[in-house]
């Protein structure tokens, strides 16, 4: 399905970050360090997850060597999706040093942003949708991801 217009947003916070999302998304799970959301139009395929990321663990679990720069971590993230068949269309560094990317995978489109907190820890948000009409929904979540300082 195509994305509905965004009528408003809500913000949810964990102990480690805050995230805004369109108010028609449903919060399925929330914990001290992660949030899982789904959209009622197709909750199995239109999903978002925000959580802590162990960058070293991600890289080494997928056969990479550590240390890596943030761009290298994003490359590993994309190469680990869908058994390696996902493809990144764009990866860009943002002013705060985080990296936003988007591309395609077996079930549609995926948007991803990762913010490095230190040499191994990060916060990431991933939004999945069936087509590019979900870009506005994804942008809200990617742009709003805000780590809470320890």
């Amino acid at each position: 399905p195509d994305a509905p217009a965004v009528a408003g947003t809500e913000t949810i916070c964990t102990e480690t970050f805050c995230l805004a999302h369109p108010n028609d998304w449903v919060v399925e799970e929330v914990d001290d360090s992660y949030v899982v959301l789904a959209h009622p139009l197709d909750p199995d395929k239109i999903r978002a997850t925000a959580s802590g990321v162990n960058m070293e663990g991600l890289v080494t679990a997928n056969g990479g060597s550590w240390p890596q720069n943030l761009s290298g971590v994003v490359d590993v993230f994309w190469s680990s999706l869908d058994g390696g068949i996902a493809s990144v269309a764009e990866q860009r560094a943002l002013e705060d040093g985080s990296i936003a990317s988007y591309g395609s995978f077996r079930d549609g489109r995926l948007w991803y942003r990762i913010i490095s907190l230190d040499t191994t820890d990060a916060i990431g948000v991933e939004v999945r949708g069936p087509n590019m009409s979900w870009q506005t929904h994804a942008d809200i979540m990617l742009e709003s991801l805000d780590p809470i300082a320890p």
Side-chain angles (χ1 to χ4, degrees), residues 13 24 37 44-45 51-52 63-64 68-69 71 92 102 114 134 140 146:
C13 294
D24 56 346
L37 302 116
D44 292 331
K45 293 187 178 178
S51 68
Q68 289 277 338
N69 62 27
S71 179
R92 59 190 163 86
Y102 80 91
I114 188 168
W134 292 90
I140 289 166
D146 186 20

Side-chain angles (χ1 to χ4, degrees), residues 73-141:
V73 172
V74 172
D75 291 342
V76 169
F77 169 82
W78 279 94
S79 69
S80 70
L81 293 173
D82 262 356
I85 63 169
S87 65
V88 62
E90 179 184 9
Q91 182 180 136
R92 59 190 163 86
L94 303 178
E95 288 182 23
D96 66 356
S98 67
I99 295 183
S101 57
Y102 80 91
S104 59
F105 69 108
R106 183 175 307 140
D107 289 333
R109 292 292 185 169
L110 187 139
W111 295 266
Y112 183 65
R113 180 179 175 205
I114 188 168
I115 301 171
S116 177
L117 302 175
D118 58 35
T119 57
T120 59
D121 296 312
I123 300 287
V125 60
E126 169 185 323
V127 181
R128 295 175 181 234
N131 55 53
M132 287 300 289
S133 73
W134 292 90
Q135 175 86 45
T136 302
H137 289 244
D139 285 347
I140 289 166
M141 290 185 247

Side-chain angles (χ1 to χ4, degrees), residues 61-72:
N62 287 288
S65 61
W66 189 256
Q68 289 277 338
N69 62 27
L70 196 56
S71 179

